[in-house]
């Protein structure tokens, strides 16, 4: 019999699982309260203070923040030499001034779909941490490992997984790691997609649109470079992608632009293909740089590791069993760039899981669908207890 199924048969676990459904709106309200505090990458301080105050009320011990605003709290196990680290990122892709208003698709208490920027990614993930802490406490579950609940910074954008790198530095390679996302229920991320990010800057002497016509224009040079990048052939399998996500440049309409830049995101499931596309773009940049009076510089601004935890590993099997136990089938196995990429890139067994279904991620009309949220929380409890080693009632 598998461990997850055995844990699910424990009466206390059964009662806790049932409570997720009856307390569903509490978890949703908590997610909304977290979502209402703006938390762009590198500006997570205010949300971190709020989450720390929530931790303090749950009775977790060793509640504290580090200097980059990662928030920690511990649910003590019977053997503190072992740690299970469960994390959810605090940051969002939305700038500080974004309107964070929540919208329901009907009367509040009947809506399953709730719209709000950053609600699924990742206020709900953080709310999952708090809900888990409350559930562990309320039921007095005892586990072998310490369970550290970590709300970390800098997962999105140019954060470069800095928050999670600090977390993995702190707990080391002997800890096990479980990463939560508010969306993505039913998926198990066990593969880390390698990501390279670059800033491409074009500089020219510029000039007057009429008087200097014909001199190199940074915007036009950058546009033509972007066009060349857009025409690159990338394989669908192993999936390899490029994206120009930000573009800036120029000063006035009648000035030949002297500066222009863009930010480029390259990803591949295969390290060699990621290196290949990076080199191809490097060559395009070099040839643009060869034109007179034109300077093109490509600077790396982000790098996320690639790696893979086998589907046969204990952690992936437990994650699969937890999803099946709550009635989710088939389980989908995914590659992605999540905080789990940090431990996975180091070969440390870890996965990222989701709590509910969601849509329009990273858009202003992002939404979470709470239809499966109770199952998502059930999966989280089962997997946490399996990974941390639930101490049975008769085992004391
Ligand atoms: Zn996320």
């Amino acid at each position: 019999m598998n461990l997850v199924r055995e844990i699910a048969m424990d009466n206390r676990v059964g009662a806790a699982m049932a409570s997720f459904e009856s307390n569903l709106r509490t978890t949703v309200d908590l997610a909304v309260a977290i979502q209402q505090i703006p938390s762009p990458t590198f500006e997570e301080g205010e949300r971190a203070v709020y989450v720390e105050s929530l931790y303090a009320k749950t009775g977790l011990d060793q509640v504290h923040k580090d200097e980059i605003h990662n928030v920690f709290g511990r649910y003590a196990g019977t053997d503190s030499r072992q740690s299970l680290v469960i994390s959810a990122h605090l940051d969002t892709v939305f700038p500080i001034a974004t309107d964070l208003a929540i919208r329901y698709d009907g009367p509040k208490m009947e809506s399953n779909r709730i719209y709000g920027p950053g609600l699924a990614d990742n206020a709900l993930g953080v709310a999952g941490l708090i809900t888990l802490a409350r559930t562990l406490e309320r039921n007095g579950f005892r586990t072998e490992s310490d369970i550290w609940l970590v709300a970390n910074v800098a997962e999105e954008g140019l954060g470069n997984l800095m928050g999670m790198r600090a977390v993995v530095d702190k707990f080391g390679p002997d800890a096990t790691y479980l990463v939560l996302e508010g969306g993505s229920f039913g998926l198990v991320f066990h593969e880390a997609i390698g990501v390279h990010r670059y800033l491409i800057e074009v500089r020219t002497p510029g000039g007057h649109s009429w008087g200097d016509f014909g001199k190199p224009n940074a915007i036009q040079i950058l546009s033509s470079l972007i066009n060349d990048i857009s025409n690159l052939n990338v394989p669908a399998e192993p999936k390899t992608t490029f994206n120009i996500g930000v573009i800036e440049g120029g000063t006035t309409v009648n000035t030949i632009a002297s500066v222009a830049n863009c930010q480029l995101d390259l990803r591949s499931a295969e390290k060699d293909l990621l290196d290949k596309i990076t080199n191809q773009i490097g060559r395009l940049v070099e040839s643009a740089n060869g034109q007179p009076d034109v300077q093109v510089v490509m600077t790396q601004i982000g790098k996320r590791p690639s790696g893979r935890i086998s589907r046969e590993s204990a952690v992936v099997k437990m994650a699969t069993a937890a999803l099946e136990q709550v009635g989710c089938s088939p389980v989908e196995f995914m590659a992605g760039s999540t905080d789990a990429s940090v431990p996975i890139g180091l070969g440390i067994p870890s996965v990222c899981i989701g709590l509910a279904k969601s849509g329009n991620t990273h858009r202003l009309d992002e939404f979470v669908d709470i239809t499966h949220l109770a199952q998502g929380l059930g999966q989280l409890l089962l997997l946490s207890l399996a990974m941390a080693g639930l101490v049975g009632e008769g085992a004391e």
Side-chain angles (χ1 to χ4, degrees), residues 76-317:
T78 55
D79 179 359
S80 285
R81 288 168 303 179
Q82 305 175 48
S83 300
L84 165 63
V85 178
I86 306 179
S87 71
H89 68 88
L90 284 166
D91 58 322
T92 76
V93 296
F94 300 99
I96 206 110
T98 306
D99 178 359
L100 297 176
I102 291 285
R103 194 163 55 79
Y104 297 87
D105 69 347
K108 181 181 169 188
M109 297 308 281
E110 291 161 28
S111 307
N112 278 342
R113 198 179 262 209
I114 308 166
Y115 293 82
L119 185 59
D121 188 12
N122 193 25
L124 185 60
V126 178
L129 288 179
I130 312 285
T131 302
L132 178 64
R134 289 174 179 169
T135 305
L136 293 170
E137 296 259 338
R138 208 170 281 151
N139 294 279
F141 289 122
R142 295 189 61 210
T143 57
E144 287 165 24
S145 304
D146 280 354
I147 300 178
W148 281 92
L149 300 178
V150 182
N152 63 280
V153 299
E155 191 262 359
E156 302 284 5
L158 297 177
N160 219 13
L161 309 182
M162 174 186 76
M164 193 61 183
R165 287 178 211 270
V167 171
V168 175
D169 272 352
K170 179 180 166 83
F171 292 100
D174 294 331
T176 49
Y177 297 86
L178 173 61
V179 173
L180 305 185
E181 283 286 340
S184 308
F185 172 70
L187 312 181
V188 174
F189 290 85
H190 63 110
E191 208 175 321
I193 290 290
V195 183
H196 287 178
R197 287 177 175 153
Y198 291 92
L199 174 70
I200 299 176
E201 294 171 289
V202 181
R203 284 178 210 285
T204 68
H208 191 280
S209 62
W210 173 259
D212 294 312
F213 181 67
K215 294 203 169 150
N217 178 313
I219 291 179
Q220 288 165 223
I221 288 160
L222 182 65
S223 304
S224 132
L225 178 60
I226 290 173
N227 188 49
D228 292 343
I229 293 171
S230 307
N231 286 330
L232 287 174
N233 278 319
V234 286
E237 201 53 51
K239 190 173 174 181
T240 303
T241 63
F242 53 81
N243 183 59
I244 312 278
V246 177
I247 182 165
E248 290 173 327
T251 48
T252 72
V253 69
N254 54 345
T255 303
I256 293 176
S258 62
V259 286
N261 70 67
C262 70
Q263 293 179 19
L264 173 70
D265 174 288
L266 308 172
R267 303 181 179 220
S268 181
E270 192 69 56
K271 190 184 171 300
D272 291 349
L273 288 169
L274 184 59
D275 291 340
K276 183 178 167 200
I277 188 172
T278 305
N279 291 337
Q280 282 175 319
I281 291 171
R283 282 196 294 277
L284 292 174
V285 166
E286 259 171 53
S287 69
N289 207 8
Q291 306 171 59
D293 280 339
V294 176
Q295 194 194 5
V296 188
V297 181
M298 180 168 166
T299 315
Q300 188 162 65
I301 51 174
K303 190 174 184 176
R304 294 163 177 237
S306 56
R308 189 169 196 279
I309 300 299
S310 158
R311 278 196 205 174
E312 299 310 312
S313 69
V315 63
V316 176
K317 282 188 163 170

Side-chain angles (χ1 to χ4, degrees), residues 35 93-95 97-101 103 115-119 359-367:
Q35 179 266 354
V93 296
F94 300 99
T98 306
D99 178 359
L100 297 176
R103 194 163 55 79
Y115 293 82
L119 185 59
N360 301 343
T361 311
H362 292 191
R363 286 171 31 172
L364 290 169
D365 58 352
E366 176 176 329
F367 68 84

